[in-house]
C-alpha cells in the first residue's frame, strides 16, 4: 500500500487521485454523463453516479467493461424527486443543488469485502485523512458490513453505528436499491454534540462524505422489492465534501471550486 505522496488540495487533483486509484483496482474510468438520465425508471435529473449504469445493475444490457467494474466523477443535481436537497441549500454549509459525485461500481463482481477496505485505503492512505475521526454507519440488517469494517479494516466498534432508513439507498421511487454503509467525518465538538452520526442533533458535526450501497434489490411501482440478478456495489463520495475535509473547513463554500465562485461574486 502506498504512502501519501501529495495530498490533493484542488478538485482537479482529487478527481485525478480518484480515477487513478480505481483504475489501479481494475476499474474502467468512465466520463461524466448527461444530467438528464435516459433509463425509464430514472427520476428527472441524474442524482447520483450510478444512474448512467442502471441497465447494467438490472441485467438489461451486457456490461461493456472487463472486469465488470467502473469508476467515474459524475455531475449531479438534487433539486427534485427522491433525493431533493433544495430545502437544505443555503441553510446548511454542506448541501448543494449541483455537485460532483465520485463513484466506483461493481456489476455482479466484487462486493463488501473489497469495496469497504478500498474506501478506507483511499481516504486514509491516498488522501491522508485521519481514520480516528471517521465514523461508520451500517444498515440494521447488515451484520456482514459491520464485520468487514471491524475485523478487516479495524474500525473500533464504538465508531460503527446501525441505522434503518438512513442506511437503505434507493435511486428514486422505483429502481435499483439496497442496504448501505456510510462514512462520516467528525468536525469536532465546536460543531455539535457527541454521539456519532446516529445522533440527530449532531448533523453539522458528523458529515457524511461517502456512501457505499450494496445494490441487491429492485423497487417496483407497487413498492415491492425483488432481488436483482446479481449483487452489485454503487458508491458515491462527495467531491466538494471531501475537498472541505482536506481544507479543514466544514463549509463547502470555502473549499476549492466554490470558493472561487464566492470570491468572484
Ligand atoms: N448512489 C449512492 C449515493 O448517491 O449515495
Amino acid at each position: 500500500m502506498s504512502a501519501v505522496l501529495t495530498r490533493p488540495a484542488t478538485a482537479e487533483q482529487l478527481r485525478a487521485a480518484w480515477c487513478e486509484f480505481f483504475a489501479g483496482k481494475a476499474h474502467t474510468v468512465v466520463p461524466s454523463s448527461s444530467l438528464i438520465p435516459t433509463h425509464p425508471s430514472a427520476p428527472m435529473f441524474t442524482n447520483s453516479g450510478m444512474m448512467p449504469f442502471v441497465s447494467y445493475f438490472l441485467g438489461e444490457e451486457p456490461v461493456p467493461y472487463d472486469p465488470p467494474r467502473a469508476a467515474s466523477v459524475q455531475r449531479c443535481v438534487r433539486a427534485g424527486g427522491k433525493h431533493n436537497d433544495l430545502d437544505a441549500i443555503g441553510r446548511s454549509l454542506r448541501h448543494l443543488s449541483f455537485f460532483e459525485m465520485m463513484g466506483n461500481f461493481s456489476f455482479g463482481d466484487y462486493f463488501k469485502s473489497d469495496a469497504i477496505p478500498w474506501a478506507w485505503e483511499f481516504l486514509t492512505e491516498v488522501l491522508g485523512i485521519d481514520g480516528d475521526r471517521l465514523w461508520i454507519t451500517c444498515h440494521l440488517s447488515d451484520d456482514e458490513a459491520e464485520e468487514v469494517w471491524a475485523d478487516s479494516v479495524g474500525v473500533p466498534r464504538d465508531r460503527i453505528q446501525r441505522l434503518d432508513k438512513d442506511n437503505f439507498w434507493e435511486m428514486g421511487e422505483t429502481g435499483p436499491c439496497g442496504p448501505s454503509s456510510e462514512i462520516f467525518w467528525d468536525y469536532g465538538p465546536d460543531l455539535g454534540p457527541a454521539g456519532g452520526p446516529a445522533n440527530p442533533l449532531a448533523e453539522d458535526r458528523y458529515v457524511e462524505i461517502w456512501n457505499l450501497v450494496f445494490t441487491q434489490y429492485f423497487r417496483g411501482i407497487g413498492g415491492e422489492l425483488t432481488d436483482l440478478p446479481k449483487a452489485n456495489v454503487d458508491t458515491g463520495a462527495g467531491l466538494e465534501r471531501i475537498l472541505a475535509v482536506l481544507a479543514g473547513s466544514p463549509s463547502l463554500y470555502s473549499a476549492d471550486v466554490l470558493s472561487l465562485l464566492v470570491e468572484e461574486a
Side-chain angles (χ1 to χ4, degrees):
M1 296 191 193
S2 59
V4 181
L5 295 176
T6 312
R7 183 179 160 107
T10 65
E12 193 179 340
Q13 289 167 354
L14 182 53
R15 289 186 201 103
W18 180 272
C19 294
E20 188 181 320
F21 179 79
F22 282 104
K25 308 283 186 203
H27 290 62
T28 299
V29 176
V30 176
S32 178
S33 83
S34 168
L35 288 176
I36 311 296
T38 52
H39 196 274
S41 69
M44 187 177 296
F45 296 115
T46 297
N47 64 19
S48 60
M50 57 77 74
M51 210 160 277
F53 307 114
V54 175
S55 56
Y56 308 147
F57 288 119
L58 300 185
E60 294 171 341
E61 281 186 72
V63 181
Y65 318 120
D66 182 18
R69 323 175 164 182
S72 66
V73 182
Q74 173 66 45
R75 291 183 281 272
C76 298
V77 167
R78 289 197 174 179
K82 188 169 182 66
H83 298 282
N84 181 359
D85 288 337
L86 266 186
D87 287 346
I89 292 157
R91 297 198 167 91
S92 93
L93 295 173
R94 64 182 185 282
H95 288 96
L96 301 170
S97 52
F98 172 80
F99 61 98
E100 290 178 73
M101 183 178 286
M102 302 183 292
N104 60 290
F105 309 95
S106 158
F107 310 107
D109 186 17
Y110 64 83
F111 205 43
K112 298 173 195 180
S113 62
D114 287 313
I116 289 172
W118 287 346
W120 189 261
E121 182 186 342
F122 182 74
L123 292 175
T124 61
E125 296 187 30
V126 177
L127 302 188
I129 287 176
D130 179 2
D132 291 343
R133 289 177 63 181
L134 294 174
W135 286 66
I136 306 299
T137 60
C138 301
H139 190 254
L140 283 177
S141 67
D142 199 349
D143 293 342
E144 187 188 354
E146 176 165 346
E147 292 314 310
V148 177
W149 281 115
D151 295 342
S152 303
V153 176
V155 176
R157 288 201 194 253
D158 60 5
R159 281 194 282 118
I160 305 175
Q161 298 179 316
R162 304 285 284 262
L163 298 173
D164 190 7
K165 286 186 182 162
D166 286 341
N167 279 115
F168 194 92
W169 195 85
E170 312 200 27
M171 179 182 77
E173 295 309 321
T174 63
C177 56
S180 73
S181 184
E182 296 185 312
I183 306 172
F184 293 76
W185 173 251
D186 179 3
Y187 272 103
D190 290 350
L191 273 292
N199 179 356
L201 301 176
E203 286 183 341
D204 291 334
R205 171 170 175 172
Y206 302 97
V207 174
E208 182 212 333
I209 56 172
W210 195 342
N211 187 19
L212 316 183
V213 186
F214 309 114
T215 311
Q216 294 158 270
Y217 305 114
F218 180 80
R219 175 82 69 188
I221 46 176
E224 72 286 356
L225 286 180
T226 49
D227 285 337
L228 290 175
K230 291 179 178 166
N232 309 281
V233 171
D234 150 32
T235 90
L239 178 106
E240 295 83 355
R241 287 192 183 184
I242 292 182
L243 282 171
V245 170
L246 294 171
S249 165
S251 170
L252 305 189
Y253 302 101
S254 62
D256 187 41
V257 181
L258 288 176
S259 63
L260 303 177
L261 291 176
V262 171
E263 275 166 31
E264 189 65 25

